[in-house]
Amino acid sequence: MAAVQERRLPFGKIEPNSLKYFGACTVGGIIGPTHTSVTPLDLVKCRRQVDPKIYTSNLSAWRSIISKEGLRGIFFGWSPTLLGYSLQGAGKYGCYEYFKHLYGDQLFPNMNRTVVFLGASASAEFFADLALCPMEAIKVRMQTTMPPFAHSLREGWGKIVATEGVAGLYKGLYPLWARQIPYTMTKFATFEETVGLIYRTLGRPKESYNGLQQTGVSFLGGYIAGIFCAIVSHPADVMVSKLNADRKAGESAMTAVSRIYGNIGFSGLWNGLPVRIVMLGTLTGFQWLIYDSFKVFLGLPTTGGH
């Protein structure tokens, strides 16, 4: 029976923690345009972060955008979003699986597992953001400037490089790390712990559930993790939007952060949080659902609950 099952695996048997395994996890991180699908929420969130008075609500924002630009207007900025978060997802998930094995199984086998999850996710996000940062810079400028800074990924890339050089694509890197590294640490560690708690609450080992049931647990664990992610990373997310939209030429990152904070205050760092909670809860839940469904398709165990 085992031999029959093995022959049915789409790419043959994949040994855990092998190069083929890490490659499969990298591909799994790309699959699923989850960030692109929530572009309408992201567009309104970014604009309200930069200018809280621009719209009175999400619905009024969408009505206003659609009346002026049509339905495609609410998906403005989808191309840098798709490319940027696909590259980031590849690095984030593939590197996370590698660093989790490196830290937890090879370098520090007796280390507390939560510490391993935190360290592996922080390391993975550090590298993943190097791929995301240029696309994030273009996306935010496109979405938060009126009239738009650029109307396409190509136009935005050309304008930034022509006026600021390649360095202009990375001027938001430090704030991006400040937002994404705590976010990813929360996302992965909370997910792993939540999935483990769900299986303990159910009272049966993970292996006793089929693939569909396990991916259902992954979605629930991911949604819960997404709520925590939104809260932890939101102030930095606001600052990234502000920096990309309102940083002056020649101004250092710290000077810009200080100036912007002086304008918006502490309360301004929380503009758009309810929208982001809904967006990231849904987003993170579907990310884990898609990622673990891909792993099941390959004949691999889902993440967490071990």
Side-chain angles (χ1 to χ4, degrees), residues 29-39 81-82 85-86 283 287 290:
I30 300 174
I31 294 174
T34 47
H35 271 90
T36 311
S37 66
V38 294
T39 297
T81 300
L82 177 61
Y85 283 95
S86 294
L283 187 72
Q287 282 178 337
I290 293 168

Side-chain angles (χ1 to χ4, degrees), residues 145-169:
T145 52
M146 305 290 279
F149 168 79
H151 291 86
S152 68
L153 169 58
R154 178 184 296 181
E155 182 185 359
W157 182 286
K159 279 190 173 182
I160 292 176
V161 171
T163 57
E164 304 172 45
V166 175
L169 297 168

Side-chain angles (χ1 to χ4, degrees), residues 195-196 198-210 213-214 217 304-306:
V195 167
I198 291 172
Y199 283 117
R200 288 194 296 273
T201 302
L202 292 173
R204 286 167 48 192
K206 171 182 172 179
E207 293 73 20
S208 66
Y209 296 93
N210 62 37
Q213 292 168 328
Q214 288 186 30
V217 171
H306 301 296

Side-chain angles (χ1 to χ4, degrees), residues 253-272:
M254 291 307 300
T255 301
V257 167
S258 178
R259 176 179 58 80
I260 292 169
Y261 183 79
N263 292 334
I264 66 175
F266 180 76
S267 62
L269 294 174
W270 301 97
N271 287 334

Side-chain angles (χ1 to χ4, degrees), residues 1-10 299:
M1 187 65 152
V4 173
Q5 184 179 4
E6 186 170 317
R7 285 197 300 272
R8 289 178 179 173
L9 297 178

Side-chain angles (χ1 to χ4, degrees), residues 173-236:
L173 181 59
Y174 294 150
L176 186 64
W177 274 334
R179 180 189 81 185
Q180 288 297 132
I181 290 178
Y183 166 85
T184 299
M185 292 171 71
T186 303
K187 172 181 177 177
F188 281 82
T190 303
F191 173 81
E192 296 262 15
E193 295 296 339
T194 300
V195 167
L197 178 61
I198 291 172
Y199 283 117
R200 288 194 296 273
T201 302
L202 292 173
R204 286 167 48 192
K206 171 182 172 179
E207 293 73 20
S208 66
Y209 296 93
N210 62 37
L212 181 61
Q213 292 168 328
Q214 288 186 30
T215 54
V217 171
S218 295
F219 176 78
L220 178 59
Y223 201 100
I224 293 170
I227 294 173
F228 285 96
C229 290
I231 296 170
V232 167
S233 63
H234 192 73

